């Protein structure tokens, strides 16, 4: 459906033209003085020079032309030449009726769908998911859903970290603890055991131990580096052990992501890029892009306009080992061949900005991507505690994601039980949904690049700009509709009437923004736009609700119309939270 602002602009542009001015002066925007008008056009001021006329005279002529136009309830010229506009209730009601009839709620699907890969999550195997990975998962999932809703073909890839030094560290630690394991016997030619020699909890203890040791013990670190290189070289026993680490970790990761309502289409990993590395490096060298510098193979990616030093991109270290940059570049090769994406969007901590600058420049320079393939880095800020420092456990340790989720769920459970008598089991389930909304909305309502404070009390509140508040509003609507249905009524039979009051008009005005907001969120890769919209919509609804006795209304057509409006509001809110990656309970 044509966006409301476009429709309004079109009317005003036609009026400018009919008065003998260029139509372009009629472009109209949302008013920045909502007390005076809803929409505003400043074109008369710009037209002054060209037509040698006082702007107010031009504005008056156009306003005159707009009288009687069914789109507007009011079109007035004010000094020095503004056109102040209010839309008519009938126009809004008609627009909403069409929106209600549209399965996609007025949002047009992309005419030329793009293939977009969203690279998010990015956990490292054998390391427990901690809060640092939360943002990548939450924002990435929403970015994926928003792009998909806009009609694009979107592939979410978890891009597991499974190829770097952390693997060498784990192998080294396992070897020191259990040197007798068959994986370390180089003469062994048989089949390796199917059972992993560790559990996930052992693995989660092994990695930090190894990482600590390598910081102080240089021989240990050497051993880990060598183990990494041997793994990458394909030494059989190391590969078998690595496969175990991967299997044990992935099973655990899948469970964790499922709890977050995060779903990846593909579970590719850094190691999947390995088969492309040798050829890629050779091609880069043959084409003269890459050269050897102190034994390492590098590509210069400096640009003249740089204000900050951008170091060369290292393709291979002097010992031939692949780095983070290497796997990211070779992954691009893989992705271009396998999926031919029009765009790849990467989610990672904003401190990785330089890494992505190097990777993107190198990929372009060495022609790994087509000229028109977009590479976009969405760097996010840090999730801080109330003290303004990176979020930690009360004891000061790294907060595990599972612990965080469990804490929030307990908090929500308490609130729900305080609110009303509820069946304990149902309350547990509800607490999960509401808890997830608290975590996700708390994150997504901030612009991704900014740091934010994870404030449990604020995020779990049923009031204010929070996920639970949005869910509460949805549940309120469901309960009214449920009551109506329980009384034998149906919804979806009546029309939508003109707004009966200011509160109702505000609600309608909030609803009609849905298509422009989702489009903006897609174009700016900005889930926080959806949050702001949902918050405004929920507020508008609650105002309307408090001033209107819906079910007690005696005029049947009016009552039907309000129920229709409620149902539409519910659909828009629920579609909106689905774009953010959470859902609403039936009751709370
Ligand atoms: N595994 C990385 C980390 O923990 C994030 C990966 C982001 N994606 C990428 N293609 N580099 O920091």
């Amino acid at each position: 459906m044509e966006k409301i602002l476009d429709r309004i602009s079109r009317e005003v542009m036609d009026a400018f033209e009919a008065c003998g001015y260029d139509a372009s002066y009629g472009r109209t925007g949302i008013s920045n003085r909502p007390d005076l008008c809803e929409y505003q056009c400043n074109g008369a001021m710009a037209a002054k020079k060209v037509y040698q006329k006082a702007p107010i005279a031009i504005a008056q002529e156009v306003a005159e032309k707009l009288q009687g136009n069914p789109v507007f309830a009011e079109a007035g010229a004010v000094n020095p030449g503004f056109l102040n506009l209010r839309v008519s209730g009938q126009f809004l009601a008609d627009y909403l009726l069409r929106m209600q009839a549209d399965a996609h709620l007025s949002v047009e699907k992309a005419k030329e769908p793009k293939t977009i890969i969203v690279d998010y999550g990015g956990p490292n195997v054998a390391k427990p998911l901690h809060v640092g990975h939360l943002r990548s998962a939450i924002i990435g999932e929403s970015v994926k859903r928003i792009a998909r809703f806009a009609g694009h073909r979107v592939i979410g890839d978890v891009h597991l970290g499974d190829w770097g030094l952390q693997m060498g560290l784990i192998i080294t630690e396992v070897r020191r603890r259990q040197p007798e394991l068959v994986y370390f016997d180089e003469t062994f030619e048989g089949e390796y055991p199917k059972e992993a020699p560790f559990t996930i909890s052992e693995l989660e203890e092994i990695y930090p131990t190894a990482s600590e040791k390598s910081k102080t013990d240089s021989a240990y670190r050497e051993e880990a580096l060598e183990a990494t290189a041997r793994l990458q070289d394909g030494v059989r026993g190391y590969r078998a052990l690595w496969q175990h680490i991967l299997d044990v970790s992935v099973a655990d990761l899948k469970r964790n992501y499922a709890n977050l309502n995060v779903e990846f289409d593909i579970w590719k990993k850094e190691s999947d890029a390995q088969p492309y590395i040798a050829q890629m490096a050779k091609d880069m060298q043959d084409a003269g892009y890459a050269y050897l510098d102190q034994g390492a193979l590098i590509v210069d990616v400096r640009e003249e306009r740089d204000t900050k030093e951008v170091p060369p991109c290292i393709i291979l270290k002097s010992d031939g080992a692949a780095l983070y940059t290497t796997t990211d570049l070779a992954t691009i090769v893989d992705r271009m061949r396998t999926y031919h994406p029009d765009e790849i969007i990467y989610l990672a901590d904003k401190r990785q900005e330089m890494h992505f600058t190097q990777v993107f420049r190198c990929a372009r320079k060495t022609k790994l991507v087509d000229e028109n393939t977009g590479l976009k880095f969405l760097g996010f800020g840090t999730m801080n505690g109330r003290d303004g420092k990176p979020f930690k456990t009360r004891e000061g340790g790294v907060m595990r994601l599972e612990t965080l989720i469990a804490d929030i769920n307990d908090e929500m459970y308490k609130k729900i039980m305080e609110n009303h008598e509820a069946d304990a089991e149902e309350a547990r389930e509800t607490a999960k949904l509401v808890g997830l909304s608290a975590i996700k909305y708390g994150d997504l309502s901030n612009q991704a690049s900014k740091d934010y404070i994870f404030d449990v009390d604020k995020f779990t509140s049923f009031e204010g700009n929070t996920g639970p508040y949005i869910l509460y509003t949805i549940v309120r609507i469901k309960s009214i509709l449920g009551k109506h249905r329980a009384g034998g009524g149906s919804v979806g039979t009546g029309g939508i009437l003109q707004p009966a009051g200011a509160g109702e008009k505000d609600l309608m005005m909030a609803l009609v923004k849905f298509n422009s907001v989702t489009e903006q969120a897609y174009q700016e890769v900005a889930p926080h736009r959806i949050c702001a919209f949902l918050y405004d919509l929920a507020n508008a609804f609650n105002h309307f609700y408090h001033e209107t006795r819906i079910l007690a209304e005696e005029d049947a057509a009016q009552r039907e119309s309000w129920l229709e409006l409620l149902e539409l509001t519910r659909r828009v809110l629920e579609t909106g939270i689905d774009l953010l990656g959470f859902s609403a309970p039936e009751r709370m």
Side-chain angles (χ1 to χ4, degrees):
M1 269 165 73
E2 185 177 23
K3 290 191 277 304
I4 199 114
L5 204 52
D6 293 340
R7 175 67 201 280
I8 289 165
S9 275
R10 192 154 61 80
E11 295 294 334
V12 181
M13 287 168 84
D14 284 351
F16 265 85
E17 200 162 39
C19 294
Y21 305 105
D22 195 83
S24 64
Y25 293 111
R27 220 151 266 135
T28 301
I30 290 181
S31 154
N32 48 19
R33 287 288 306 273
D35 49 325
L36 296 180
C37 58
E38 294 156 357
Y39 298 93
Q40 184 183 320
C41 171
N42 303 339
M45 259 87 74
K48 168 183 157 184
K49 267 227 184 84
V50 182
Y51 298 98
Q52 299 285 328
K53 231 185 201 176
I56 187 70
I58 301 175
Q60 269 159 354
E61 279 173 64
V62 178
E64 191 58 38
K65 241 313 153 265
L66 289 171
Q67 301 310 311
N69 184 319
V71 171
F72 302 105
E74 229 179 277
V78 293
N79 274 322
F82 298 114
L83 259 177
N84 285 356
L85 306 160
R86 284 185 203 277
V87 287
S88 75
Q90 193 55 53
F91 169 67
L92 276 179
D94 290 345
Y95 195 90
L96 290 177
L97 204 57
R98 286 198 291 142
M99 194 169 163
Q100 168 81 302
D102 180 354
H104 214 229
L105 290 167
S106 78
V107 180
E108 277 174 27
K109 297 237 177 203
K111 292 200 180 62
E112 286 166 31
K114 290 192 205 169
T115 298
I116 303 171
I117 295 178
V118 184
D119 174 320
Y120 70 111
N124 300 308
V125 301
K127 297 191 202 172
L129 275 182
H130 58 81
V131 295
H133 291 110
L134 187 63
R135 297 211 71 192
S136 179
I138 292 178
I139 303 167
E141 180 70 20
S142 181
V143 164
K144 181 189 79 180
R145 290 173 183 225
I146 290 169
R148 199 169 274 168
F149 189 70
H152 301 286
R153 178 173 172 253
V154 192
I155 304 162
D157 182 3
V158 68
H159 197 70
L160 283 175
D162 71 336
W163 211 228
L165 179 60
Q166 92 257 23
M167 304 313 289
L169 284 166
I170 296 165
I171 294 173
T172 300
E173 185 59 26
V174 172
R175 181 183 188 138
R176 293 237 176 154
R177 291 182 190 191
Q178 294 170 271
E180 72 287 355
L181 285 178
V182 58
Y183 307 96
F184 306 114
D185 175 359
E186 290 183 14
T187 59
F188 182 76
E189 285 180 352
E191 244 189 69
Y192 291 107
K194 294 230 169 344
E195 195 78 11
F198 35 65
T199 63
I200 184 69
S201 26
E202 282 161 354
L203 211 47
E204 287 180 350
E205 175 268 319
I206 290 174
Y207 173 74
T209 308
S211 169
E212 269 318 301
K213 282 192 193 166
S214 75
K215 281 180 197 149
T216 49
D217 182 341
S218 61
Y220 191 95
R221 190 178 158 80
E222 275 309 309
E223 207 178 314
L225 281 167
E226 201 199 308
T228 311
R230 302 198 73 194
L231 168 70
Q232 295 184 351
D233 277 347
V235 170
R236 255 184 97 235
Y238 284 31
R239 282 292 176 104
L241 200 52
W242 163 83
Q243 188 65 50
H244 283 311
I245 301 172
L246 201 62
D247 293 344
V248 169
S249 291
V250 167
D252 186 60
L253 286 169
K254 287 199 167 158
R255 191 178 50 79
N256 270 288
Y257 282 123
N259 281 336
L260 277 176
N261 211 4
V262 167
E263 219 175 274
F264 299 97
D265 302 293
I266 49 176
W267 281 75
K268 285 236 175 180
K269 38 202 187 318
E270 290 176 350
S271 61
D272 289 320
Q274 177 69 11
Y276 299 94
I277 292 177
Q279 189 65 44
M280 177 183 83
K282 182 173 181 304
D283 291 346
M284 286 181 178
Q285 208 169 359
D286 289 351
Y289 299 124
Y291 61 92
L292 286 169
D293 183 59
Q294 296 172 39
L297 186 67
I298 65 172
V299 173
D300 285 322
V301 291
R302 253 178 306 131
E303 279 174 14
E304 227 155 85
R305 60 190 165 92
D306 289 344
T307 48
K308 234 193 321 191
E309 152 116 41
V310 181
C313 204
I314 303 177
I315 309 299
L316 293 174
K317 286 205 299 179
S318 51
D319 64 1
L323 291 170
Y324 188 36
T325 359
T326 322
T327 53
D328 262 332
L329 286 164
T331 300
I332 291 178
V333 175
D334 182 12
R335 287 176 176 162
M336 290 307 290
R337 290 200 193 156
T338 317
Y339 304 104
H340 316 285
D342 298 293
E343 191 175 16
I344 310 176
I345 302 175
Y346 295 81
L347 276 287
D349 189 304
K350 70 181 173 196
R351 285 169 292 192
Q352 294 192 22
E353 170 116 52
M354 182 56 88
H355 164 75
F356 284 102
T357 301
Q358 291 176 301
V359 168
F360 293 173
R361 284 186 183 182
C362 184
R364 289 220 181 279
K365 179 171 181 176
T366 64
K367 307 206 161 43
L368 300 186
V369 289
D370 300 340
E371 232 161 84
N372 36 19
T373 300
L375 297 171
K376 187 170 180 68
F377 172 55
L378 193 63
F380 48 80
T382 310
M383 172 173 148
N384 289 325
R386 274 207 265 188
D387 57 359
K389 300 201 187 102
F391 198 89
K392 292 266 155 68
T393 58
R394 230 168 274 145
E395 293 72 36
V398 176
M399 179 67 117
R400 290 182 59 137
L401 200 55
E402 282 188 290
T403 317
L404 179 90
I405 295 175
D407 286 356
I408 296 276
N409 288 355
D410 286 346
E411 184 65 31
M412 282 330 312
Y413 177 74
K414 258 194 273 157
K415 284 201 179 183
I416 291 167
M417 291 304 259
E418 272 166 25
N419 253 9
H420 58 92
E421 286 283 300
D423 171 62
E425 202 179 317
E426 188 190 332
R428 275 280 162 214
E429 284 308 306
T430 307
K432 265 195 220 160
L433 291 178
V434 187
L436 193 58
S437 82
I439 296 175
K440 288 197 165 183
Y441 192 95
D443 187 314
L444 293 170
S445 53
N446 300 285
Q447 205 177 313
S449 61
K450 299 218 167 103
D451 296 348
Y452 77 102
I453 292 183
F454 192 90
D455 184 335
V456 179
D457 292 340
K458 188 172 138 202
F459 289 2
T460 58
S461 170
F462 284 24
E463 278 154 42
N465 191 8
T466 70
Y469 170 66
I470 307 291
L471 295 195
Y472 197 77
T473 306
I474 294 172
V475 166
R476 167 172 277 164
I477 300 178
K478 284 187 182 179
S479 132
I480 304 170
L481 292 171
K483 253 191 223 154
H484 170 70
R485 290 197 175 103
S490 59
V491 182
T493 46
I496 293 183
L497 302 175
Q498 294 196 41
E504 188 178 357
K505 189 171 187 193
D506 287 346
L507 172 59
M508 290 180 158
M509 296 279 288
L511 280 167
V512 298
K513 288 188 187 134
F514 187 58
N515 51 14
S516 64
V517 167
T518 50
E519 184 180 299
Q520 193 182 28
Y522 164 70
Q523 265 158 6
E524 295 175 8
V525 202
H528 72 275
R529 298 271 180 210
I530 307 275
C531 293
F533 165 79
L534 293 176
Y535 183 49
D536 286 345
L537 179 57
N539 280 335
F541 170 77
N542 285 310
H543 284 146
F544 165 69
Y545 168 78
H546 286 299
E547 67 179 31
T548 317
R549 301 196 48 195
I550 299 167
L551 293 179
E553 172 60 39
E554 304 211 328
D555 178 345
Q558 180 63 81
R559 192 176 59 237
E560 291 296 322
S561 167
W562 282 338
L563 288 164
E564 211 65 57
L565 194 57
L566 255 61
E567 171 61 5
L568 182 59
T569 306
R570 180 200 63 77
R571 271 175 68 202
V572 171
L573 287 171
E574 286 206 297
T575 306
I577 59 170
D578 186 58
L579 294 177
L580 301 179
F582 56 89
S583 55
E586 288 308 306
R587 276 182 296 200
M588 66 190 264

